[in-house]
């Protein structure tokens, strides 16, 4: 049985096949070379089939939400995640974020704690994080879809090649961006970022398994704003 919220996706309203990718913010033109690649056709075939036979997160309309909310020419900060959350109602297309009203996962709770310790004042605990994206923070997962209850289930299908291309475009064609890399996976994915033209902030992952090993106290949020201020750019209201 095909879920009703996937029907329009399969019929074309949210189709992201090579010539009909529904991605906004100027990204479609920037990434057009990827959409015609064989790997991308294989990826879209795989994901489309997955939506017909299983519960997949996020909702189809939110697969490219990180790009829609952070136009390519307005990106100032990139935060790299790995997979969308795989629990019901969680994933919303932005890494580390969950839908409004959903209990924040431990990593997001630790992120909020570090922001407040870093900046020295309370901040919004709105779990959606779209307020960051609209300020030019690209909240990019390496893999953009996942099966419900099955972490990593869409890894190795082509998403990583696509998001590597995103990072390379930003690295090569922009200057003065801040890349925030939490954990070994993000550090490896960002290994080729040119640190002579961008600011790279690394620390352990905010997961409870590693947060006390260097994430807490790493001050990525004030460091980001100090860098932006030094470039006379508007700071992020975390």
């Amino acid at each position: 049985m095909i879920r009703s919220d996937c029907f329009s996706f399969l019929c074309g309203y949210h189709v992201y096949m090579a010539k009909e990718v529904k991605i906004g913010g100027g990204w479609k033109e920037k990434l057009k070379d990827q959409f015609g690649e064989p790997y991308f056709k294989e990826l879209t075939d795989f994901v489309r089939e997955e939506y017909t036979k299983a519960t997949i997160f996020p909702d189809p309309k939110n697969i490219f939400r990180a790009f829609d909310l952070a136009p390519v020419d307005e990106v100032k900060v990139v935060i790299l995640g790995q997979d969308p959350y795989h629990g019901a109602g969680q994933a919303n297309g932005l890494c580390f974020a969950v839908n409004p009203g959903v209990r924040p996962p431990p990593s997001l709770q630790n992120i909020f704690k570090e922001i407040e310790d870093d900046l020295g004042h309370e901040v919004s605990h709105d779990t959606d994080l779209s307020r960051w994206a609209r300020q030019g923070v690209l909240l990019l997962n390496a893999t953009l879809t996942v099966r419900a209850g099955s972490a990593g289930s869409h890894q190795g299908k082509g998403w990583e090649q696509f998001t590597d291309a995103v990072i390379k475009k930003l690295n090569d064609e922009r200057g003065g961006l801040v890349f925030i890399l939490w954990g070994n996976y993000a550090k490896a994915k960002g290994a080729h970022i040119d640190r002579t033209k961008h600011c790279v902030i690394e620390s352990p992952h905010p997961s409870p398994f590693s947060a006390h090993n260097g994430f807490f106290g790493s001050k990525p949020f004030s460091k980001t704003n100090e860098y932006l201020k030094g470039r006379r750019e508007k700071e992020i209201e975390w």
Side-chain angles (χ1 to χ4, degrees):
M1 179 69 69
I2 298 176
R3 292 167 42 206
S4 60
D5 62 343
C6 291
F7 186 74
S8 64
F9 165 73
L10 295 167
C11 289
Y13 292 101
H14 296 297
V15 171
Y16 52 97
M17 292 175 63
K19 295 183 180 180
E20 301 179 27
V21 179
K22 300 297 183 181
I23 181 171
W27 288 99
K28 186 172 182 178
E29 177 66 21
K30 186 66 65 175
L31 298 169
K32 63 182 179 181
D33 59 330
Q34 297 301 306
F35 302 141
E37 290 292 319
Y39 89 86
F40 198 83
K41 174 63 164 58
E42 293 173 6
L43 169 63
T44 54
D45 287 347
F46 166 77
V47 175
R48 188 185 309 108
E49 182 179 2
E50 282 284 277
Y51 272 102
T52 68
K53 65 184 183 183
T55 298
I56 306 299
F57 299 129
D59 283 343
K61 66 183 179 181
N62 287 332
I63 291 174
F64 294 112
R65 186 166 178 250
F67 301 92
D68 297 338
L69 294 181
V72 62
D73 292 333
E74 297 177 18
V75 171
K76 297 191 288 187
V77 181
V78 182
I79 298 179
L80 294 182
Q82 188 166 354
D83 273 1
Y85 292 116
H86 54 83
Q90 290 184 311
N92 68 4
L94 307 179
C95 73
F96 293 104
V98 293
N99 285 310
V102 176
R103 178 179 174 81
S107 290
L108 184 54
Q109 293 181 41
N110 287 338
I111 288 170
F112 288 146
K113 182 179 187 302
E114 176 60 19
I115 294 173
E116 294 184 340
D117 289 347
D118 183 2
L119 302 183
H121 59 77
E122 293 184 1
V123 297
S124 170
H125 283 215
D126 179 2
T127 61
D128 178 69
L129 301 187
S130 60
R131 67 186 186 281
W132 295 1
R134 292 189 176 95
Q135 296 176 75
V137 180
L138 180 64
L139 294 160
L140 181 65
N141 274 317
T143 303
L144 301 187
T145 54
V146 69
R147 270 196 179 207
S150 183
S153 51
H154 285 188
Q155 291 179 4
K157 303 298 182 180
W159 280 130
E160 295 92 341
Q161 186 171 342
F162 176 73
T163 51
D164 280 347
V166 172
I167 295 168
K168 188 175 190 303
K169 288 283 186 182
L170 291 172
N171 177 64
D172 293 349
E173 299 180 13
R174 295 285 304 279
L177 301 182
V178 179
F179 289 87
I180 299 177
L181 312 179
W182 290 327
N184 291 332
Y185 184 91
K187 291 176 186 177
K189 193 168 181 69
H192 299 295
I193 296 168
D194 186 346
R195 298 171 188 235
T196 67
K197 58 188 282 194
H198 301 290
C199 173
V200 178
I201 299 172
E202 298 181 342
S203 80
H205 196 276
S207 160
F209 299 106
S210 55
H212 289 281
N213 293 327
F215 173 75
F216 288 137
S218 60
K219 301 185 180 299
F221 308 101
S222 62
K223 289 177 180 176
T224 294
N225 281 349
E226 287 169 8
Y227 182 79
L228 293 175
K229 184 177 180 179
R231 290 179 53 82
R232 298 185 178 180
E233 296 188 39
K234 187 175 181 180
E235 300 170 44
I236 305 299
E237 293 183 14
W238 300 105

